[in-house]
Amino acid sequence: VGVVLLMCFGNLRGIKEAGKAFAVPTYLFAGSVILMIVVGLIRELIGNLHATDPAALHGTYEIHSNSSGLLTGAMIFVLLKAFANGGASLTGIEAVSDAVGAFKPPEGRNARKVLLTEGAILGILIAGISWLAHSTKATPYKAGYPTVLAQEAQAVFGSSFIGHALFYLLQAATMLILYTGGNTSFNGFPFLTSYV
């Protein structure tokens, strides 16, 4: 409720001011994830990135090799769920297409640039996170925590003081980006209703 009230207060100041306020978590998240990807790739290239053994972890999803039909069904379900969750990360795209009229002239060209930039950043983030999940053998837990992103950050940043600080920075940025994701519909709804 507090976050919704904060979004409401931020949006009452106007679109331009709200955009500036909600841009900080976006830049913080993208920057911290890109830093994690770069550090992870460097550590992998020098052979210093260690993978966990999924069989030694407790509380993760178990896969039995003797149930191929069930395994196939589970893989299809996981693939569809991953697609649905990934689709949720595309919420900014329809917000840009709804708000083309709010861009500076030439509106269409500027909106196209934003969409291309957004798509490139999103592609880099998804590809990098997926590669690190493969490299570190990050495994989903039944309880939902630690998340795959948290497992990757722990493996990449390590257990030093700076590593812990970067881990918590990434966790805070993830929390903030999820909160500000609600702002997309808050801003996009008036444009969408005016078109309808």
Side-chain angles (χ1 to χ4, degrees), residues 2-182:
V3 171
V4 172
L5 291 175
L6 188 63
M7 281 192 294
C8 182
F9 175 73
N11 282 294
L12 287 175
R13 299 184 59 140
I15 291 176
K16 188 179 253 184
E17 289 78 14
K20 290 177 185 175
F22 292 115
V24 173
T26 305
Y27 293 137
L28 183 65
F29 176 75
S32 59
V33 172
I34 289 172
L35 176 67
M36 180 188 72
I37 292 168
V38 168
V39 170
L41 290 175
I42 291 171
R43 287 190 64 191
E44 185 178 16
L45 285 174
I46 62 174
N48 195 14
L49 185 65
H50 304 293
T52 59
D53 180 16
L57 300 174
H58 300 292
T60 60
Y61 289 99
E62 297 177 22
I63 297 180
H64 303 286
S65 60
N66 58 357
S67 56
S68 63
L70 183 63
L71 181 63
T72 303
M75 285 192 321
I76 291 171
F77 174 75
V78 168
L79 180 65
L80 291 174
K81 186 169 174 31
F83 179 77
N85 290 342
S89 65
L90 302 175
T91 56
I93 291 176
E94 95 279 348
V96 172
S97 60
D98 289 342
V100 170
F103 282 90
K104 292 179 182 176
E107 295 88 351
R109 178 180 293 163
N110 290 333
R112 202 172 312 126
K113 287 179 185 177
V114 169
L115 285 174
L116 286 173
T117 304
E118 187 177 354
I121 292 170
L122 187 62
I124 290 168
L125 293 179
I126 290 174
I129 290 169
S130 299
W131 180 256
L132 285 178
H134 168 73
S135 298
T136 61
K137 305 265 189 287
T139 307
Y141 280 76
K142 292 178 184 176
Y145 187 81
T147 63
V148 170
L149 194 61
Q151 293 174 58
E152 291 175 13
Q154 285 175 335
V156 168
F157 293 136
S159 59
S160 67
F161 176 75
I162 293 174
H164 282 298
L166 290 173
F167 171 79
Y168 286 116
L169 175 71
L170 181 63
Q171 296 306 300
T174 304
M175 179 189 66
L176 289 173
I177 198 71
L178 291 172
Y179 283 146
T180 58

